[in-house]
Amino acid sequence: MAEHELAGVWRRIIRGDGKSWVVFAHATCVVLPAPGPADDLAQQAVDILREYGPLFAGSAAGDFGTLTLEPGPGWVVYGHHNDVLTYVGPDEITGGTDLEVGLHGRAKRDRDGRELNVVHVEDKRVA
């Protein structure tokens, strides 16, 4: 999915006009609800995802939950950090069960947490 498409997906998903957020290459989004005026949003998101993105066997990093987007299409997979979310589109999986969606989203988050490739920064701070 292209950067502008990912940004559009997350604009549709995120509730609250005042939240800044950062999207990574594999559709993981880190929401930054109250960054400081001088904060580097991309760096702050990288720091969070570096810690909370990668999977580690036997840790809370393996836990996940799924939310079906209404209206759709797609799902959001969440994990052990409330502000780290991953989008899974309907074209990415075949079945659409919570387990399939969750495992796929968790794998995408793991990849983003290791690669740390920022593709979009949405800065909603008031100047």
Side-chain angles (χ1 to χ4, degrees):
M1 190 176 282
E3 174 188 330
H4 71 279
E5 291 173 310
L6 282 174
V9 164
W10 284 107
R11 282 187 192 106
R12 180 175 58 92
I13 294 171
I14 293 176
R15 305 280 187 241
D17 291 335
K19 295 179 183 174
S20 296
W21 40 273
V22 176
V23 179
F24 293 80
H26 304 288
T28 299
C29 180
V30 176
V31 179
L32 305 166
D39 288 348
D40 179 334
L41 300 181
Q43 187 59 55
Q44 190 174 2
V46 164
D47 292 345
I48 290 168
L49 198 58
R50 180 180 290 121
E51 181 175 351
Y52 292 97
L55 296 177
F56 298 104
S59 73
D63 297 341
F64 62 82
T66 63
L67 297 170
T68 301
L69 295 175
E70 295 294 335
W75 302 266
V76 169
V77 177
Y78 58 91
H80 61 301
H81 190 291
N82 291 336
D83 296 321
V84 176
L85 310 165
T86 304
Y87 174 74
V88 175
D91 59 330
E92 297 180 62
I93 57 170
T94 56
T97 68
D98 285 344
L99 181 61
E100 288 174 295
V101 170
L103 290 173
H104 186 72
R106 184 179 71 177
K108 290 173 62 171
R109 185 195 75 219
D110 177 61
R111 193 166 174 194
D112 275 332
R114 294 178 193 284
E115 295 175 6
L116 301 169
N117 182 15
V118 171
V119 297
H120 181 81
V121 175
E122 189 85 5
D123 189 345
K124 297 289 190 149
R125 295 176 288 191
V126 177

